[in-house]
Amino acid sequence: MGHKVHPGGLRVGVIHEWKSNWYTGTKEFPAYLIEDVKIRDHIRGKLGHAGLGDILIKKDKQRITIDIFTARPGIVIGKSGAEVDALRREVHAMTHKNVHININEIKRPELDAKLVAQSIAEQLENRVSFRRAMKRSLASAIRSGAQGVKITCGGRLGGAEMSRSETYSEGRVPLHTLRADIDYGFAEGKTTFGRIGVKVWINKGEIMPEGFDTGRDTGPSGRLGEQDQARRRGGRKPEGLGEGQQAGRRRSPDREGLGPVRQRRRSGERPGGPGGRRGRPSDQQRPKAQEASPEAVEEQTPAPEAEASAPPVEAAPPVEETPEAPKDEGTEGAES
């Protein structure tokens, strides 16, 4: 438990190939392995300022082919290929074999984890704030099309007396999903107050096997990751579910094809029904209320004849129109 596994080594043989391709017997294996380590160390030491990515090595009995991936191919090649020729001679002196070197350019250095870690380490050496460097690299990787990025810096951050580590992440970085193409890079910034380690994980998407139909022509596929994203956005139902998931939906509400889901109990209800707490009446009590006797219904509703016979209040004679007014006039004349 708790052991950290390199994302590249975990996916070797699944979606990634080996970075050293050769075969030898048991006796020659240690010498071949040490030879690979020396070649990589020499190239990184000489061309470390050229933004090196991966270094792939293919070996034969009399021939070595080295593929160098770099963000600055002009620096590696040099003027009229002088730097490459010098590197070829140096590797030939180390191995005593024919050496062939291929220079490949990295089109998007923002999506290469090793280059991102190197750039953050260089900024830390130049006294740039580690938060600013991490957030800037995070935003540039997401803008370039990465599905998820995670960056961790550890050491005496900001010159603090006690070392600590801080992590910033955005998007999805599923380390246990083997079909997810996750690139990992590590670099160290040598500052005046100690070394600061930088780790970068970049999720470049999923690599599916050949002949796998994702259904993107007809609609989004029903993979678990896309359904999780749709549910996080606002509970929208994903389209294009598979047949097995649709069959599960018919049997019982199945959110992601993971099996039948237990019905949630309504608030205020208990399995007992009438003995439950105060709330909505149970289904057993509803038919009793609907099957009430017709006599009780007639008593509750007023008869239409009684409503019609009752005189309206406005039709009653007003009190002011009494015949007492002429009597008052006659009495007034007699008194006068």
Side-chain angles (χ1 to χ4, degrees):
M1 292 178 61
H3 292 181
K4 305 298 182 295
V5 181
H6 195 289
L10 184 65
R11 289 162 176 79
V12 165
V14 183
I15 61 173
H16 290 166
E17 295 295 333
W18 282 260
K19 295 184 179 180
S20 293
N21 290 297
W22 43 265
Y23 180 80
T24 184
T26 307
K27 295 181 179 180
E28 295 88 3
F29 186 88
Y32 271 58
L33 182 61
I34 293 174
E35 193 176 66
D36 281 5
V37 173
K38 289 182 178 180
I39 291 172
R40 285 195 172 92
D41 290 344
H42 179 74
I43 294 175
R44 292 192 183 280
K46 184 176 181 179
L47 303 174
H49 59 283
L52 295 180
D54 290 332
I55 299 175
L56 309 182
I57 299 176
K58 296 181 181 180
K59 284 185 181 181
D60 200 354
K61 285 189 176 181
Q62 300 296 331
R63 184 185 179 91
I64 296 178
T65 303
I66 302 174
D67 293 335
I68 300 176
F69 292 84
T70 175
R72 302 171 183 173
I75 299 177
V76 178
I77 296 172
K79 188 175 181 180
S80 66
E83 295 292 334
V84 176
D85 294 338
L87 181 63
R88 185 182 297 110
R89 288 193 297 269
E90 293 171 359
V91 175
H92 174 71
M94 293 170 56
T95 60
H96 304 287
K97 294 180 182 179
N98 296 329
V99 180
H100 183 71
I101 298 178
N102 298 323
I103 309 299
N104 302 312
E105 182 183 2
I106 298 176
K107 301 294 184 181
R108 293 183 178 179
E110 299 88 2
L111 295 180
D112 192 284
K114 298 177 184 61
L115 298 182
V116 172
Q118 291 175 14
S119 67
I120 295 175
E122 290 177 2
Q123 293 179 52
L124 294 177
E125 292 176 357
N126 296 330
R127 298 181 179 273
V128 178
S129 174
F130 69 95
R131 287 193 182 91
R132 181 181 299 176
M134 293 168 68
K135 291 181 179 179
R136 188 182 300 169
S137 301
L138 198 73
S140 64
I142 293 295
R143 200 183 308 117
S144 299
Q147 294 189 5
V149 183
K150 184 169 71 170
I151 302 175
T152 300
C153 287
R156 294 182 60 184
L157 301 177
E161 291 292 331
M162 186 174 292
S163 63
R164 69 183 191 277
S165 63
E166 290 201 11
T167 303
Y168 289 91
S169 63
E170 187 173 350
R172 295 176 63 250
V173 186
L175 297 178
H176 287 190
T177 304
L178 294 182
R179 65 171 177 262
D181 184 12
I182 295 179
D183 191 13
Y184 172 76
F186 172 76
E188 285 185 348
K190 301 175 183 178
T191 62
T192 56
F193 38 83
R195 294 198 179 192
I196 295 180
V198 182
K199 295 180 180 180
V200 178
W201 295 263
I202 297 179
N203 180 16
K204 300 180 182 179
E206 294 183 352
I207 298 178
M208 292 299 176
E210 295 181 0
F212 183 83
D213 185 13
T214 57
R216 294 190 183 275
D217 297 334
T218 58
S221 63
R223 291 201 302 271
L224 183 62
E226 296 187 1
Q227 294 192 15
D228 287 344
Q229 291 179 0
R231 188 172 57 183
R232 290 192 198 99
R233 291 193 197 103
R236 293 182 297 174
K237 293 182 179 180
E239 301 176 359
L241 294 176
E243 295 180 359
Q245 294 175 348
Q246 289 179 355
R249 291 280 175 103
R250 295 190 199 104
R251 290 193 301 270
S252 63
D254 187 1
R255 288 190 295 268
E256 297 170 352
L258 302 178
V261 182
R262 184 181 297 176
Q263 294 283 353
R264 290 189 178 181
R265 197 177 299 158
R266 296 178 180 176
S267 59
E269 285 190 6
R270 294 179 65 182
R277 295 174 292 182
R278 237 187 303 173
R280 301 178 64 181
S282 62
D283 297 338
Q284 299 177 359
Q285 294 178 348
R286 288 174 186 170
K288 294 181 181 180
Q290 295 175 0
E291 296 176 0
S293 61
E295 297 177 0
V297 176
E298 291 181 0
E299 292 178 0
Q300 294 177 0
T301 57
E305 298 178 358
E307 294 179 358
S309 60
V313 180
E314 298 177 358
V319 183
E320 297 176 356
E321 297 179 359
T322 54
E324 295 179 357
K327 292 181 181 181
D328 294 340
E329 294 176 359
T331 54
E332 288 177 1
E335 289 175 359
S336 60

